[in-house]
Amino acid sequence: MDFTSVTHLHPLPKEFLLKISILKFLMYTGSLWGLYYNGWAMTSDHQDHIFPFWLTSFQAKKYAKKYWPNYTPRRITHENFQLALLPTLSRLNVLPTLYHTTQKFKLSCHQMTYLFFNQPKMV
C-alpha cells in the first residue's frame, strides 16, 4: 500500500478511544474491583451471564449503592482472579464485564488473561 496516496483520513470515534484508554488502564494497573456479599455478584443481560467488575472501588461502591445495596466493593487480586475466579467463570460460561460509567465491556476469559496477567517484560 502506498501511504503517500492516502487522501482521506477519518478520526477514530470517541467511543473507540475511550475503550482503548480503559483497557490500557486495566492492563497497566491490574486493578480490579468486584462486589461481594456471601459470594461475588453476578448477573445477566439479554445475551449473557456476566461477572461485573470496575477499575476503582468508588465506581463499584456507586453502582452497589444503586443496584445491590447489600454488596460491598472488594479488590480482586491477580492471584484470586487467576486461580479461583477465572476458572469458575470459564466453567460456568460467565463473561467478565467491565462496567465504566454508562458502558459495559464484555471480555472473554482469554482476553482477561491477556489484559490482566500479561505483564510487560523487563529488558
Side-chain angles (χ1 to χ4, degrees):
M1 176 178 201
D2 182 12
F3 290 106
T4 58
S5 66
V6 174
T7 57
H8 300 295
L9 293 175
H10 301 285
L12 291 172
K14 284 183 182 181
E15 181 179 312
F16 185 70
L17 289 174
L18 177 64
K19 286 180 183 180
I20 290 173
S21 298
I22 290 169
L23 294 175
K24 280 175 62 176
F25 182 85
L26 171 64
M27 198 167 157
Y28 291 116
T29 64
S31 180
L32 295 181
W33 292 84
L35 296 177
Y36 195 88
Y37 175 74
N38 294 330
W40 292 105
M42 289 193 222
T43 188
S44 62
D45 59 11
H46 297 292
Q47 298 97 14
D48 302 298
H49 295 288
I50 57 178
F51 172 75
F53 69 92
W54 294 262
L55 297 176
T56 67
S57 63
F58 175 77
Q59 292 171 334
K61 185 180 235 178
K62 185 176 173 183
Y63 192 87
K65 185 177 180 181
K66 185 173 183 178
Y67 297 105
W68 288 319
N70 292 331
Y71 286 75
T72 57
R74 184 179 280 186
R75 188 166 192 267
I76 304 169
T77 65
H78 284 281
E79 296 80 22
N80 184 291
F81 195 87
Q82 190 172 27
L83 300 176
L85 206 47
L86 195 59
T88 302
L89 296 176
S90 294
R91 188 178 69 250
L92 297 175
N93 199 27
V94 175
L95 292 177
T97 303
L98 173 61
Y99 278 60
H100 182 74
T101 59
T102 60
Q103 296 183 331
K104 291 188 294 187
F105 303 101
K106 292 180 184 178
L107 302 163
S108 69
C109 290
H110 178 72
Q111 289 168 324
M112 280 301 295
T113 300
Y114 179 79
L115 291 171
F116 196 49
F117 303 112
N118 191 20
Q119 301 301 315
K121 293 184 173 88
M122 301 302 281
V123 180

